[in-house]
Amino acid sequence: GLRIHPSASIGVAICPRDGLQGEQLISRADTALYHAKNSGRNRYSIFELGMDQELRRRQMLEADMADAIEQNQFELYFQPRLDLASTSISGYEALIRWNHPSKGLVSPADFIPVAENSGKIIAIGNWVMETACRMAAEKLGEGTISVNVSPRQFAEKGFVETLELLLDNTGLAPERLEIEITESILIEDDRLAVAILNRLKALGVRVALDDFGTGYSSLAYLSRFPFDTIKIDRSFVENLKNEEDAVAIVDTIIRLGRALDMRLVAEGVEEVTELEILAARGCHEIQGYLLGRPAPFEHLQ
Ligand code: C2E
Ligand code: CA
Ligand code: CA
């Protein structure tokens, strides 16, 4: 009685190009398979020499990550969101930083996918959630705190219970927490995802759809769940000044979001011109370097 959606990832190594020994061919096919899975699964990859290096880089990051929490190498940065109607800060997005002992600051864009793959994202995600909620409850005034939740963390058994406990322990009002998820959550297992989203809603936690417009069937997802907030992806915002198409798309997203009673937040706003276009079209909030870069709590003005 269960619906199952199997998919296959395939790694390919070619003889004699990639080796003559069975062992080496299998190992290279395995590297290509790893690459296929990392590129989003349900596809094939043919081995290339660079893949070995990429795999080693990932394996090293993965090993270094093992005790990064215990070693206090992670830090949370905060980036403000501006409410255009009241021209006041409405809240902050929490963004993780990794102070690697030898590599320096490692970008989350590099290590979050590795953590997601190895399962380490559960521990890291819990650390982020706990730190963000505590900071918000103790220090960030009245605004909302937005926390990114990755697909694996979201689907982890007990996610909602852990969150509930955390809200209890920190005393943070649920309405002040906004969880940012991407469409990929809804692609993986639709019914389970909607069930979890509904439980979050019941708790009073807000839910935002992140990077909106970058997926391939965004509109369908909006009708499946009543998100509180839509975050318009930076790729549209950066083209607003030069491309009429970008203005038309953003305009449509804003109208749609407004019709569905959702809040619209534009990401990656770097220039006043962009702010003006967004404000004129009815966008509710903006976030971006124009207003402030992500910074440690002590550096927020
Ligand atoms: P995101 O959630 O889309 O976060 C926005 C990214 O855009 C951040 O990059 C932010 O620093 C950057 N940004 C903000 N304003 C501007 C701007 O005006 N111009 C430009 N060029 N960039 C801007 P960051 O901090 O490097 O994070 C990258 C991604 O890593 C995030 O994208 C998010 O997907 C992920 N990430 C970050 N922290 C966490 C976390 O705690 N948990 C999870 N699961 N993912 C996280
Ligand atoms: Ca985000
Ligand atoms: Ca985003």
Side-chain angles (χ1 to χ4, degrees), residues 27 37 64 78 106 113 125 148 154 157 171 173 190 197 202 214 242 289:
S27 147
K37 286 186 176 171
D64 293 348
F78 298 87
V106 185
N148 295 285
F154 183 83
K157 217 164 162 256
D190 203 317
L197 288 169
T214 54
N242 312 316
Y289 293 171

Side-chain angles (χ1 to χ4, degrees), residues 73-270:
Q73 291 166 6
F74 291 122
E75 192 180 357
L76 266 198
Y77 276 30
F78 298 87
Q79 188 179 34
R81 253 160 69 168
L82 180 77
D83 180 300
L84 291 170
S86 66
T87 64
S88 60
I89 304 293
S90 53
Y92 296 86
E93 176 172 1
L95 293 157
I96 193 172
R97 294 293 177 267
W98 182 9
N99 300 302
H100 190 282
S102 62
K103 294 194 178 69
L105 217 56
V106 185
S107 161
D110 286 331
F111 76 82
I112 292 286
V114 178
E116 172 87 12
N117 225 288
S118 70
K120 192 72 186 164
I121 191 67
I122 304 299
I124 295 177
N126 283 338
W127 178 86
V128 169
M129 190 66 86
E130 186 171 345
T131 312
C133 289
R134 180 154 296 126
M135 291 289 272
E138 290 172 5
K139 301 181 172 157
L140 284 179
E142 289 301 294
T144 49
I145 180 80
S146 306
V147 178
N148 295 285
V149 172
S150 78
R152 184 137 172 202
Q153 186 189 356
F154 183 83
E156 173 83 357
K157 217 164 162 256
F159 171 67
V160 181
E161 287 83 355
T162 311
L163 193 62
E164 203 171 354
L165 210 66
L166 211 111
L167 289 169
D168 255 8
N169 287 342
T170 57
L172 183 73
E175 316 79 62
R176 288 188 55 204
L177 176 64
E178 184 161 89
I179 281 174
E180 297 194 2
I181 59 162
T182 53
E183 289 168 356
S184 50
I185 278 170
L186 293 161
I187 296 171
E188 301 266 303
D189 185 345
D190 203 317
R191 267 201 289 178
L192 179 71
V194 171
I196 298 173
L197 288 169
N198 280 322
R199 289 178 60 204
L200 289 173
K201 265 273 168 84
L203 261 185
V205 170
R206 300 173 59 88
V207 184
L209 186 54
D210 205 354
D211 304 337
F212 186 75
T214 54
Y216 43 86
S217 63
S218 308
L219 292 183
Y221 297 121
L222 285 185
S223 63
R224 254 176 267 173
F225 185 77
F227 292 95
D228 297 286
T229 302
I230 297 177
K231 297 195 84 173
I232 305 171
D233 192 67
R234 175 156 58 90
S235 54
F236 299 114
V237 174
E238 70 187 6
N239 291 326
L240 279 179
K241 293 167 304 191
N242 312 316
E243 288 181 20
E244 275 176 35
D245 287 0
V247 178
I249 292 172
V250 167
D251 191 54
T252 306
I253 299 176
I254 294 174
R255 281 169 199 245
L256 183 70
R258 280 185 160 261
L260 295 170
D261 222 10
M262 298 173 185
R263 273 193 88 70
L264 292 136
V265 181
E267 298 188 300
V269 178
E270 296 184 356

